[in-house]
Amino acid sequence: MRVKFLNCYVDDVGLMDSIMKIEGIIKRKKPSQHIVIYPSKINSMQKDLSLRLIVNKSPLITTDSSTILHASKLLKRPLKQRVSTKLLFIELLKKCEEQGYRPYFLGSSNEVLEDVVNYVRITYPTLDISGYHNGYFSKKDTLKVVKEIQKSRSDILFVAFSSPKKEYWIDEYLGQLGIPFAMGVGANFDVLADEIKTKPIRRLSKKIRKLLVHSLFGNAFLLVHTLKARVKSLSQ
């Protein structure tokens, strides 16, 4: 079931239902972008019409935020389920190995990316990785990267860009990439690479602190938007 509140659609699905929908998208071979909704993204969508259009046209929109679940209940459009982006990423890697889907990894630094790729090769030995590229390329090199991804003939593209950069980037180049399913994984490349090395989170501490602060402000602004919408609904 798809729920709409605060100008945003969200699919009320769990992890396994999401996997089934993604497999359907891959088999249809119609290039599509999966969207993960967080408070900061909904806040941006209130003023950013372009982002709103990109998000709401996605065939699969999930949330990884309990704050959004609570907000949806306040607005009488209750969402019951959230999907962990990290778990979805891991489950899709398993599905790639089982079904022969070929993933491409895009984003983060060379060091982190190599850690992730090596982990995937060891953990899923029969999985065919179609390619990978770091996220630090200039605008003039973008088309070169796009063509490289296009030539890989991948089934899934995992993109580790920040939001809303990844939504805009995927939407702009999705048709040229020719990949059935693209998914933004945020900082999960970095998180996974750090877990692989089993070290204290010193290398990620600055990024995590920044994400936590960003999340705190995002939750606060979402509460403001929710309360405004709730008051408006009661006055009608």
Side-chain angles (χ1 to χ4, degrees):
M1 182 178 73
R2 178 161 280 198
V3 175
K4 184 181 182 182
F5 70 104
L6 294 176
N7 298 311
C8 178
Y9 288 106
V10 184
D11 291 302
D12 196 11
V13 294
L15 180 62
M16 290 301 105
D17 286 334
S18 297
I19 295 291
M20 289 177 61
K21 284 179 174 287
I22 291 168
E23 285 208 89
I25 291 170
I26 293 172
K27 289 173 182 175
R28 287 195 295 273
K29 296 188 179 298
K30 181 181 178 181
S32 301
Q33 174 178 187
H34 164 244
I35 302 285
V36 182
I37 291 297
Y38 290 96
S40 59
K41 196 171 297 180
I42 286 188
N43 295 332
S44 297
M45 289 170 63
Q46 303 314 302
K47 293 183 178 180
D48 189 337
L49 180 58
S50 295
L51 179 61
R52 191 188 306 176
L53 291 172
I54 290 171
V55 170
N56 287 333
K57 72 180 180 181
S58 169
L60 180 60
I61 308 169
T62 59
T63 184
D64 192 3
S65 168
S66 57
T67 302
I68 288 180
L69 298 190
H70 295 314
S72 70
K73 291 173 184 176
L74 282 173
L75 295 176
K76 306 299 181 183
R77 291 172 172 79
L79 287 164
K80 299 174 184 176
Q81 304 177 82
R82 67 188 184 96
V83 179
S84 164
T85 306
K86 180 183 175 182
L87 285 180
L88 183 58
F89 174 45
I90 295 299
E91 288 298 323
L92 282 175
L93 290 176
K94 294 178 184 177
K95 189 63 67 174
C96 284
E97 184 176 44
E98 291 172 5
Q99 301 297 326
Y101 301 140
R102 303 174 67 244
Y104 191 104
F105 301 89
L106 176 66
S108 202
S109 66
N110 279 322
E111 179 187 358
V112 167
L113 195 56
E114 286 174 8
D115 285 341
V116 171
V117 170
N118 287 334
Y119 164 82
V120 172
R121 284 174 173 160
I122 293 169
T123 310
Y124 312 99
T126 62
L127 188 155
D128 182 11
I129 296 175
S130 59
Y132 55 94
H133 197 288
N134 70 64
Y136 295 95
F137 51 88
S138 64
K139 190 165 185 177
K140 68 177 183 179
D141 289 328
T142 296
L143 289 181
K144 180 181 177 181
V145 174
V146 169
K147 288 180 180 178
E148 178 184 313
I149 298 172
Q150 182 188 56
K151 290 179 181 178
S152 73
R153 297 187 178 277
S154 309
D155 299 293
I156 295 180
L157 173 65
F158 294 113
V159 182
F161 293 168
S162 60
S163 184
K165 178 183 176 180
K166 62 177 176 289
E167 286 83 11
Y168 278 115
W169 194 92
I170 294 172
D171 183 70
E172 182 174 355
Y173 298 105
L174 190 60
Q176 298 177 55
L177 294 169
I179 294 180
F181 181 76
M183 172 184 173
V185 296
N188 278 292
F189 283 3
D190 298 83
V191 172
L192 183 58
D194 192 79
E195 289 177 355
I196 294 164
K197 293 185 175 181
T198 61
K199 293 180 179 179
I201 318 179
R202 291 172 186 166
R203 182 162 56 86
L204 278 182
S205 60
K206 288 184 179 179
K207 179 172 283 189
I208 290 176
R209 282 202 299 268
K210 184 177 179 181
L211 287 172
L212 288 173
V213 171
H214 189 64
S215 176
L216 180 63
F217 279 102
N219 289 344
F221 281 116
L222 180 68
L223 177 61
V224 171
H225 289 306
T226 302
L227 291 176
K228 284 182 178 179
R230 178 65 174 155
V231 169
K232 183 178 180 180
S233 67
L234 291 174
S235 64
Q236 291 177 343

